[in-house]
Each structure stands twice: as structure tokens, then as C-alpha cells.
Amino acid sequence: EAQGFEIRSYLDWYERLAYEVIEPRCPPSLRLAATAALEHLTAIFGELALGTELLEPVHPEMRRLLRWHAAEEIEHRHVAFDVFEAVDGRYLVRALGMVVALTTLLGFWAVGARHLLRQETERPPVEVERAARARIRGFWWGVSGLVGRRLLSWFRPNFHPADAEIDQLAADYVGSMA
């Protein structure tokens, strides 16, 4: 908002859809499974942020913030999963949790990105959207193997988030901050 972007209408839409439409229709065990799935996804993004050059084009201050957040996501990636396993643990609920998480996350991202792109003033919106699509396409081609493997690992019956040996990425980054 301080940079001139109107975000309130998107946030109002998001909050209504997420908390008044989707959440009341999902049982608590599915919501917990979706939370655990979202934590798995954010750990994947954390691995990308710390283990690839993904954030190199980002402003140094924002890059530091995003890398710190990536380390934090990696460090607690199994907490919601462990709670889900203790409370419910059914494979089908866990699998459906990922479907709900991925569908809503990608949908909210797409709508939010479009909302912001339509407000871009420095370049024509069509040019901005075309550049954004090309960049996203290039990004996904570059990381699709890692993302695909990590995402699909969720569907292994004996999956646990700690199976991904990425703790050292977080530890190394946090250690470099000192």
C-alpha cells in the first residue's frame, strides 16, 4: 500500500473465500492435513531459496529476509505433520490435504499476482504479464525436478518431512548470519 498498490480488495476477497467458504466446509482433520501440506510446500520453497540461485535477482535486503524465512520454514517443516499424525494420521486425509493446499495456494497466488500486475504502471500490463509468464516458465523448467520429487514424496505412505535432508541448508544460512 505504501508503494501505491491497492491490496485491500484482494485481501478482503481472500479472507472471505478462505475463512467463510473453504474453511467451514472442511473438517478439522482435513484442515490440519492441509496445514501440514502447506508446511511441506514452504519447506520445498525454502530449499529452493537456500539451495539454488533463485533469489539472486532480488534486492539484497529482501533476499536476506527471504533466506532467513526459508531457513525458518525448513526448521519447523515437520511440526504440523507430526500433530496430524498424532491426531488423525489417515493416508487418504493426508493426500486430500495436499490437494486442498496445492489448489488453494496456486489459485490464491494466481489471483494475487494478476491483481498486482494489473496495477503495474512502469510498463504496459500486457508486457509485464508476458515477462512474468516467461520468467515463471523458465523458473519452473529449472526447478521442476526438485519440486516434483519433493511434492510427490508427500504421497509415499511412509513419508515424513524429515526424510528430506535439508536441515544443513538452514543451519548453514543461519550460521552465516552471525
mmCIF file of all heavy atoms in Angstrom, residues 7 18 25 30 37-38 43 47 56-57 60 66 78 97 101-102 105 123 131 136 147 150 170 175:
data_model
loop_
_atom_site.group_PDB
_atom_site.id
_atom_site.type_symbol
_atom_site.label_atom_id
_atom_site.label_comp_id
_atom_site.label_asym_id
_atom_site.label_seq_id
_atom_site.Cartn_x
_atom_site.Cartn_y
_atom_site.Cartn_z
ATOM 1 N N ILE A 7 -4.329 -3.233 -2.285
ATOM 2 C CA ILE A 7 -4.335 -4.652 -1.948
ATOM 3 C C ILE A 7 -5.547 -5.059 -1.106
ATOM 4 O O ILE A 7 -5.845 -6.232 -0.981
ATOM 5 C CB ILE A 7 -3.044 -5.070 -1.211
ATOM 6 C CG1 ILE A 7 -2.875 -4.298 0.085
ATOM 7 C CG2 ILE A 7 -1.843 -4.917 -2.118
ATOM 8 C CD1 ILE A 7 -1.757 -4.810 0.965
ATOM 9 N N ALA A 18 -11.342 -17.901 1.926
ATOM 10 C CA ALA A 18 -10.605 -18.848 2.758
ATOM 11 C C ALA A 18 -11.332 -19.172 4.055
ATOM 12 O O ALA A 18 -11.463 -20.347 4.419
ATOM 13 C CB ALA A 18 -9.205 -18.303 3.065
ATOM 14 N N ARG A 25 -16.238 -25.607 5.315
ATOM 15 C CA ARG A 25 -16.648 -26.804 4.592
ATOM 16 C C ARG A 25 -15.666 -27.962 4.739
ATOM 17 O O ARG A 25 -15.919 -29.048 4.242
ATOM 18 C CB ARG A 25 -16.865 -26.474 3.124
ATOM 19 C CG ARG A 25 -18.125 -25.651 2.901
ATOM 20 C CD ARG A 25 -18.217 -25.102 1.496
ATOM 21 N NE ARG A 25 -19.477 -24.421 1.237
ATOM 22 C CZ ARG A 25 -19.813 -23.233 1.694
ATOM 23 N NH1 ARG A 25 -18.994 -22.573 2.469
ATOM 24 N NH2 ARG A 25 -20.975 -22.689 1.394
ATOM 25 N N LEU A 30 -8.962 -32.468 7.958
ATOM 26 C CA LEU A 30 -8.522 -32.077 6.612
ATOM 27 C C LEU A 30 -7.809 -30.732 6.658
ATOM 28 O O LEU A 30 -6.806 -30.529 5.962
ATOM 29 C CB LEU A 30 -9.714 -32.026 5.655
ATOM 30 C CG LEU A 30 -9.385 -31.665 4.201
ATOM 31 C CD1 LEU A 30 -8.348 -32.622 3.604
ATOM 32 C CD2 LEU A 30 -10.662 -31.648 3.358
ATOM 33 N N ALA A 37 0.539 -29.990 4.745
ATOM 34 C CA ALA A 37 0.940 -29.975 3.334
ATOM 35 C C ALA A 37 1.524 -28.618 2.949
ATOM 36 O O ALA A 37 2.537 -28.544 2.235
ATOM 37 C CB ALA A 37 -0.258 -30.312 2.450
ATOM 38 N N LEU A 38 0.910 -27.543 3.427
ATOM 39 C CA LEU A 38 1.447 -26.207 3.144
ATOM 40 C C LEU A 38 2.839 -26.042 3.750
ATOM 41 O O LEU A 38 3.721 -25.418 3.148
ATOM 42 C CB LEU A 38 0.494 -25.125 3.652
ATOM 43 C CG LEU A 38 -0.790 -24.964 2.837
ATOM 44 C CD1 LEU A 38 -1.807 -24.122 3.596
ATOM 45 C CD2 LEU A 38 -0.488 -24.357 1.470
ATOM 46 N N ALA A 43 8.612 -25.647 2.875
ATOM 47 C CA ALA A 43 9.956 -26.213 3.035
ATOM 48 C C ALA A 43 10.604 -26.445 1.672
ATOM 49 O O ALA A 43 11.815 -26.240 1.512
ATOM 50 C CB ALA A 43 9.907 -27.510 3.840
ATOM 51 N N GLU A 47 14.012 -24.783 0.467
ATOM 52 C CA GLU A 47 15.144 -25.480 -0.151
ATOM 53 C C GLU A 47 15.562 -24.782 -1.443
ATOM 54 O O GLU A 47 16.761 -24.619 -1.715
ATOM 55 C CB GLU A 47 14.760 -26.930 -0.424
ATOM 56 C CG GLU A 47 15.889 -27.755 -0.995
ATOM 57 C CD GLU A 47 15.533 -29.209 -1.189
ATOM 58 O OE1 GLU A 47 14.364 -29.610 -0.948
ATOM 59 O OE2 GLU A 47 16.433 -29.963 -1.590
ATOM 60 N N GLU A 56 18.848 -14.653 -6.364
ATOM 61 C CA GLU A 56 19.937 -13.745 -6.753
ATOM 62 C C GLU A 56 19.453 -12.422 -7.333
ATOM 63 O O GLU A 56 20.025 -11.381 -7.029
ATOM 64 C CB GLU A 56 20.908 -14.445 -7.697
ATOM 65 C CG GLU A 56 21.791 -15.453 -6.996
ATOM 66 C CD GLU A 56 22.468 -14.910 -5.744
ATOM 67 O OE1 GLU A 56 23.118 -13.849 -5.810
ATOM 68 O OE2 GLU A 56 22.327 -15.537 -4.678
ATOM 69 N N PRO A 57 18.404 -12.397 -8.163
ATOM 70 C CA PRO A 57 17.972 -11.104 -8.720
ATOM 71 C C PRO A 57 17.245 -10.206 -7.720
ATOM 72 O O PRO A 57 16.958 -9.055 -8.019
ATOM 73 C CB PRO A 57 17.012 -11.486 -9.857
ATOM 74 C CG PRO A 57 17.013 -12.953 -9.965
ATOM 75 C CD PRO A 57 17.693 -13.509 -8.763
ATOM 76 N N PRO A 60 19.051 -7.050 -2.138
ATOM 77 C CA PRO A 60 19.779 -7.700 -1.040
ATOM 78 C C PRO A 60 19.036 -7.755 0.296
ATOM 79 O O PRO A 60 19.089 -8.774 0.987
ATOM 80 C CB PRO A 60 21.062 -6.876 -0.922
ATOM 81 C CG PRO A 60 21.256 -6.288 -2.274
ATOM 82 C CD PRO A 60 19.873 -6.058 -2.826
ATOM 83 N N LEU A 66 14.079 -13.164 2.887
ATOM 84 C CA LEU A 66 13.510 -14.388 2.318
ATOM 85 C C LEU A 66 14.356 -15.614 2.657
ATOM 86 O O LEU A 66 13.812 -16.694 2.916
ATOM 87 C CB LEU A 66 13.356 -14.250 0.800
ATOM 88 C CG LEU A 66 12.264 -13.276 0.357
ATOM 89 C CD1 LEU A 66 12.340 -13.042 -1.149
ATOM 90 C CD2 LEU A 66 10.885 -13.753 0.777
ATOM 91 N N HIS A 78 8.237 -30.178 9.998
ATOM 92 C CA HIS A 78 7.555 -31.409 10.394
ATOM 93 C C HIS A 78 6.564 -31.233 11.556
ATOM 94 O O HIS A 78 5.858 -32.167 11.912
ATOM 95 C CB HIS A 78 8.567 -32.491 10.756
ATOM 96 C CG HIS A 78 9.454 -32.093 11.890
ATOM 97 N ND1 HIS A 78 9.071 -32.230 13.191
ATOM 98 C CD2 HIS A 78 10.684 -31.532 11.891
ATOM 99 C CE1 HIS A 78 10.045 -31.767 13.967
ATOM 100 N NE2 HIS A 78 11.029 -31.342 13.206
ATOM 101 N N GLY A 97 -5.357 -33.481 1.886
ATOM 102 C CA GLY A 97 -4.819 -32.231 2.421
ATOM 103 C C GLY A 97 -3.880 -31.561 1.442
ATOM 104 O O GLY A 97 -3.907 -30.338 1.280
ATOM 105 N N ALA A 101 -4.410 -28.000 -0.286
ATOM 106 C CA ALA A 101 -3.348 -26.998 -0.096
ATOM 107 C C ALA A 101 -2.820 -26.488 -1.429
ATOM 108 O O ALA A 101 -2.698 -25.273 -1.634
ATOM 109 C CB ALA A 101 -2.205 -27.600 0.728
ATOM 110 N N LEU A 102 -2.501 -27.391 -2.322
ATOM 111 C CA LEU A 102 -1.920 -27.000 -3.602
ATOM 112 C C LEU A 102 -2.924 -26.224 -4.445
ATOM 113 O O LEU A 102 -2.574 -25.197 -5.047
ATOM 114 C CB LEU A 102 -1.446 -28.250 -4.342
ATOM 115 C CG LEU A 102 -0.391 -28.089 -5.408
ATOM 116 C CD1 LEU A 102 0.818 -27.316 -4.904
ATOM 117 C CD2 LEU A 102 0.036 -29.447 -5.922
ATOM 118 N N LEU A 105 -3.455 -22.725 -2.713
ATOM 119 C CA LEU A 105 -2.253 -21.905 -2.788
ATOM 120 C C LEU A 105 -2.038 -21.382 -4.201
ATOM 121 O O LEU A 105 -1.836 -20.175 -4.403
ATOM 122 C CB LEU A 105 -1.032 -22.707 -2.334
ATOM 123 C CG LEU A 105 0.302 -21.967 -2.375
ATOM 124 C CD1 LEU A 105 0.328 -20.811 -1.386
ATOM 125 C CD2 LEU A 105 1.450 -22.931 -2.094
ATOM 126 N N ARG A 123 5.425 -0.301 -16.899
ATOM 127 C CA ARG A 123 5.372 -0.940 -18.214
ATOM 128 C C ARG A 123 3.920 -1.294 -18.508
ATOM 129 O O ARG A 123 3.139 -1.485 -17.590
ATOM 130 C CB ARG A 123 6.220 -2.219 -18.235
ATOM 131 C CG ARG A 123 7.698 -1.956 -18.094
ATOM 132 C CD ARG A 123 8.499 -3.199 -18.368
ATOM 133 N NE ARG A 123 8.355 -4.136 -17.255
ATOM 134 C CZ ARG A 123 8.829 -5.369 -17.261
ATOM 135 N NH1 ARG A 123 9.456 -5.834 -18.316
ATOM 136 N NH2 ARG A 123 8.672 -6.159 -16.234
ATOM 137 N N ALA A 131 6.262 -10.897 -19.567
ATOM 138 C CA ALA A 131 7.579 -11.098 -18.941
ATOM 139 C C ALA A 131 7.470 -11.986 -17.709
ATOM 140 O O ALA A 131 8.308 -12.864 -17.495
ATOM 141 C CB ALA A 131 8.188 -9.741 -18.577
ATOM 142 N N ILE A 136 8.388 -17.112 -14.989
ATOM 143 C CA ILE A 136 7.828 -18.232 -14.234
ATOM 144 C C ILE A 136 8.046 -19.539 -14.984
ATOM 145 O O ILE A 136 8.433 -20.541 -14.396
ATOM 146 C CB ILE A 136 6.331 -17.988 -13.937
ATOM 147 C CG1 ILE A 136 6.187 -16.865 -12.910
ATOM 148 C CG2 ILE A 136 5.643 -19.266 -13.458
ATOM 149 C CD1 ILE A 136 4.782 -16.333 -12.748
ATOM 150 N N VAL A 147 11.201 -29.825 -7.324
ATOM 151 C CA VAL A 147 9.851 -29.587 -6.818
ATOM 152 C C VAL A 147 9.000 -30.837 -7.004
ATOM 153 O O VAL A 147 8.293 -31.266 -6.086
ATOM 154 C CB VAL A 147 9.197 -28.367 -7.509
ATOM 155 C CG1 VAL A 147 7.729 -28.238 -7.128
ATOM 156 C CG2 VAL A 147 9.948 -27.088 -7.159
ATOM 157 N N ARG A 150 10.057 -33.621 -4.489
ATOM 158 C CA ARG A 150 9.656 -33.287 -3.114
ATOM 159 C C ARG A 150 8.136 -33.309 -2.963
ATOM 160 O O ARG A 150 7.614 -33.788 -1.964
ATOM 161 C CB ARG A 150 10.189 -31.913 -2.712
ATOM 162 C CG ARG A 150 11.685 -31.841 -2.604
ATOM 163 C CD ARG A 150 12.170 -32.534 -1.347
ATOM 164 N NE ARG A 150 13.558 -32.226 -1.149
ATOM 165 C CZ ARG A 150 14.520 -33.137 -1.200
ATOM 166 N NH1 ARG A 150 14.244 -34.405 -1.418
ATOM 167 N NH2 ARG A 150 15.779 -32.776 -1.014
ATOM 168 N N ALA A 170 19.542 -24.928 6.115
ATOM 169 C CA ALA A 170 19.058 -23.929 7.068
ATOM 170 C C ALA A 170 20.149 -23.585 8.079
ATOM 171 O O ALA A 170 20.394 -22.416 8.381
ATOM 172 C CB ALA A 170 17.805 -24.433 7.784
ATOM 173 N N GLY A 175 23.923 -19.914 10.381
ATOM 174 C CA GLY A 175 25.308 -19.734 10.835
ATOM 175 C C GLY A 175 26.015 -18.605 10.121
ATOM 176 O O GLY A 175 26.855 -17.910 10.712
#
